[in-house]
Amino acid sequence: VAKKLITTGNGRCNITNRDININRYHGESVSFAEYALLKYDNTVIEEFFTTLGVPFFFDEQGKAYPYSLQASSVVDALRFASEELGVEVFTQTTVSDYEKTQNGFSLKTSNGDFFGKTVIAAAGLCSGGKALGSTGGLLSVFKKHGYSTVATTPAIVQIKTEPTVVRSLKGIKVNADATLVVNKKTVRREFGEVLFCDYGLSGPPVLQISRAVERTAGAVSVVLDLMPEFSFGEIVNMLELRSKNLSKRSLEEFFTGLLNKRVGQVLFKLIGCGLRDKTSTLDDIKLKRLASLMKNWQFTVTGTTGFANSQVTAGGLDTNEFNPKTMESKSSAGLYAIGEILDIDGDCGGFNLQWAWSSAFCAVDAIGNN
């Protein structure tokens, strides 16, 4: 149970974030999430988990974790509370369809039929893949019953690029501005630790900007600014001074103390310099080409690493067909959908779990009131 939850936050479970606001969420009708996020905000969630014996720890970025820093403790606390309330749990049970009955609903599953006055679809979507039971199959069930959907794509996921350069830097991390550019237009920019991989780029800023990669058509690239706190002109001046002070040093060691040594060597290769050349061979044109690369290093995007590696799925059930205050279907009383299966997804940092909790509270309160 809760296999997907146990993997969140690198095994620590990033439950929520101090800065919950609608600007950190996405979807065709993102305002749908506003009521739930405001009414059942992070303070409500913190109070709820405290009653289950799970106090929060907030890091310097505002991310909330269980004080134990163990995702398993969150799963256990929820599991124990469910057992104490008499909840029955059935795992390895695939829902293939449902029927509206006179008194509620009948679920058709691989483990027999289940009956209930109300049904909450909290199945998530495709992120995590089959290993976590995330196939997106329930979305197909809804579509069979006439519900509209928004195309699903991976979000918060590693980005694949043309491999030649990144493969030579595999395992190296740099602090940089990462910008996603689609058809020469900036879509999103984030700063943080970028990781070079044999397939492309990863790291927090890359995950944050990845949402649009498979949701757009045209030329897509990631642009790295290795020194965002300095202008192009300032970097040129810095490199000119460095070339004077280190004139006897080989280009292989030119960047030692300024940038990652291997990254610096790759930059020189890209502008056509030999690493055994002396720094004294650098002229004004080469220094400006080098500065330009440091400020505007472009990587052609070829895709993402897919649903199996993504933390959340963009797209899902069209929110226009559900009540934003109750999460109830507008066409089928007693049927609710919450969390990732709806066309709402958040940024990395606890925002998606907050949406899961907030939408769940809306549905449960509505059922209780009825």
Side-chain angles (χ1 to χ4, degrees):
V1 65
K3 188 186 289 187
K4 194 168 182 177
L5 181 60
I6 211 166
T7 67
T8 60
N10 291 322
R12 298 187 301 168
C13 192
N14 185 185
I15 297 180
T16 184
N17 194 294
R18 272 210 173 102
D19 182 30
I20 296 297
N21 67 77
I22 199 65
N23 295 326
R24 303 304 296 266
Y25 291 87
H26 316 279
E28 294 292 311
S29 302
V30 70
S31 59
F32 175 88
E34 198 159 17
Y35 175 86
L37 292 169
L38 286 173
K39 185 170 184 180
Y40 303 104
D41 62 10
N42 53 355
T43 61
V44 172
I45 304 312
E46 184 174 10
E47 181 181 348
F48 170 74
F49 275 101
T50 299
T51 64
L52 297 187
V54 183
F56 284 5
F57 161 78
F58 290 88
D59 70 8
E60 64 279 359
Q61 295 176 304
K63 296 177 182 178
Y65 299 90
Y67 201 82
S68 64
L69 294 180
Q70 289 181 298
S72 57
S73 64
V74 179
V75 174
D76 285 342
L78 291 168
R79 186 166 56 85
F80 297 153
S82 297
E83 290 173 355
E84 290 160 6
L85 292 169
V87 173
E88 290 184 85
V89 175
F90 296 84
T91 58
Q92 302 297 316
T93 302
T94 302
V95 178
S96 58
D97 203 356
Y98 70 85
E99 289 181 5
K100 191 83 165 69
T101 66
Q102 187 174 355
N103 297 317
F105 296 87
S106 169
L107 296 186
K108 308 300 178 183
T109 84
S110 59
N111 198 20
D113 292 353
F114 291 77
F115 302 90
K117 291 182 179 179
T118 56
V119 171
I120 302 178
L125 278 171
C126 309
S127 295
K130 291 183 179 180
L132 299 181
S134 300
T135 65
L138 200 58
L139 194 64
S140 299
V141 173
F142 273 92
K143 288 169 76 171
K144 187 163 57 176
H145 285 267
Y147 285 85
S148 301
T149 61
V150 176
T152 55
T153 57
I156 311 183
V157 64
Q158 302 91 342
I159 294 177
K160 287 183 178 180
T161 68
E162 198 286 322
T164 306
V165 173
V166 292
R167 191 171 289 159
S168 67
L169 295 170
K170 180 182 178 181
I172 291 174
K173 298 176 181 178
V174 294
N175 285 321
D177 262 353
T179 303
L180 189 74
V181 178
V182 178
N183 296 325
K184 298 183 179 181
K185 292 184 179 180
T186 295
V187 174
R188 185 169 180 178
R189 177 183 289 110
E190 293 286 338
F191 175 79
E193 192 174 69
V194 175
L195 172 65
F196 292 97
C197 306
D198 56 359
Y199 56 79
L201 301 169
S202 186
V206 174
L207 298 182
Q208 292 283 42
I209 67 174
S210 66
R211 186 182 189 273
V213 169
E214 295 193 27
R215 301 187 76 80
T216 54
V220 184
S221 62
V222 173
V223 178
L224 297 185
D225 182 347
L226 300 179
M227 301 183 73
E229 62 269 52
F230 297 99
S231 69
F232 171 77
E234 289 172 330
I235 293 178
V236 171
N237 292 336
M238 188 186 303
L239 295 179
E240 287 176 344
L241 181 61
R242 195 173 185 84
S243 66
K244 291 177 183 177
N245 292 338
L246 308 174
S247 60
K248 295 181 180 180
R249 188 177 294 184
S250 69
L251 297 186
E252 185 177 17
E253 301 294 344
F254 178 83
F255 277 110
T256 299
L258 181 63
L259 294 180
N260 177 283
K261 177 180 176 179
R262 183 68 186 129
V263 170
Q265 292 172 352
V266 169
L267 291 175
F268 274 122
K269 287 182 179 179
L270 290 173
I271 66 168
C273 291
L275 296 181
R276 293 185 179 180
D277 295 345
K278 293 296 183 182
T279 295
S280 57
T281 63
L282 291 174
D283 57 24
D284 187 56
I285 293 176
K286 289 178 180 177
L287 288 174
K288 286 182 177 178
R289 288 177 64 194
L290 198 59
S292 181
L293 257 184
M294 292 166 68
K295 291 294 292 179
N296 193 43
W297 195 0
Q298 296 190 41
F299 298 82
T300 300
V301 172
T302 59
T304 72
T305 57
F307 283 121
N309 297 291
S310 67
Q311 294 182 28
V312 70
T313 301
L317 289 170
D318 188 340
T319 53
N320 290 314
E321 298 178 11
F322 293 84
N323 185 323
K325 294 184 177 181
T326 65
M327 305 296 140
E328 187 176 25
S329 165
K330 292 179 179 179
S331 61
S332 186
L335 180 62
Y336 300 77
I338 63 172
E340 188 182 10
I341 197 170
L342 291 165
D343 176 34
I344 295 291
D345 60 284
D347 287 344
C348 184
F351 299 99
N352 287 292
L353 281 185
Q354 176 66 46
W355 167 239
W357 314 131
S358 296
S359 56
F361 265 95
C362 280
V364 169
D365 276 1
I367 292 169
N369 290 336
N370 287 338

